[in-house]
């Protein structure tokens, strides 16, 4: 998959405490895209994260709670 460029307003997946993916809007990009601020819209709550670590790859086993990744292709 080609590299996607992170920018404010893009939608990514945020991994919640239970390991499930939820949609999140990027609100801030730092550290060349590895740290992003997220507006997380979960099934039962929304919350703001100042900075979350993550990676650009999806479909990885490394989807730890508290990290973001690009949405998986389905
Ligand atoms: Zn996901």
């Amino acid at each position: 998959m080609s590299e996607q460029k992170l920018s404010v307003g893009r939608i990514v997946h945020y991994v919640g405490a239970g390991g499930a993916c939820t949609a999140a809007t990027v609100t801030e990009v730092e550290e060349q895209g590895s740290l992003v601020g997220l507006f997380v819209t979960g099934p039962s709550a929304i919350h703001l994260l100042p900075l979350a670590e993550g990676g650009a790859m999806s479909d990885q086993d490394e989807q730890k709670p508290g990290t973001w990744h690009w949405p998986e292709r389905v």
Side-chain angles (χ1 to χ4, degrees), residues 34-63:
S34 63
L35 289 173
V36 297
L38 295 174
F39 176 62
V40 180
T41 48
S44 58
I46 59 175
H47 59 281
L48 285 164
L49 288 171
L51 287 174
E53 278 188 57
M57 304 304 291
S58 60
D59 299 317
Q60 298 292 311
D61 293 330
E62 296 289 322
Q63 292 185 1

Side-chain angles (χ1 to χ4, degrees), residues 1 6 8 14 19-20 23 25-26 28 34 40 46-47 66 71 73:
M1 190 190 310
L6 264 181
V8 171
Y14 176 74
T25 306
V26 175
E28 186 179 2
S34 63
V40 180
I46 59 175
H47 59 281
R73 294 198 180 266

Side-chain angles (χ1 to χ4, degrees), residues 13 21 63 69-72:
H13 278 186
C21 295
Q63 292 185 1
H69 55 269
W70 290 109
E72 294 82 358

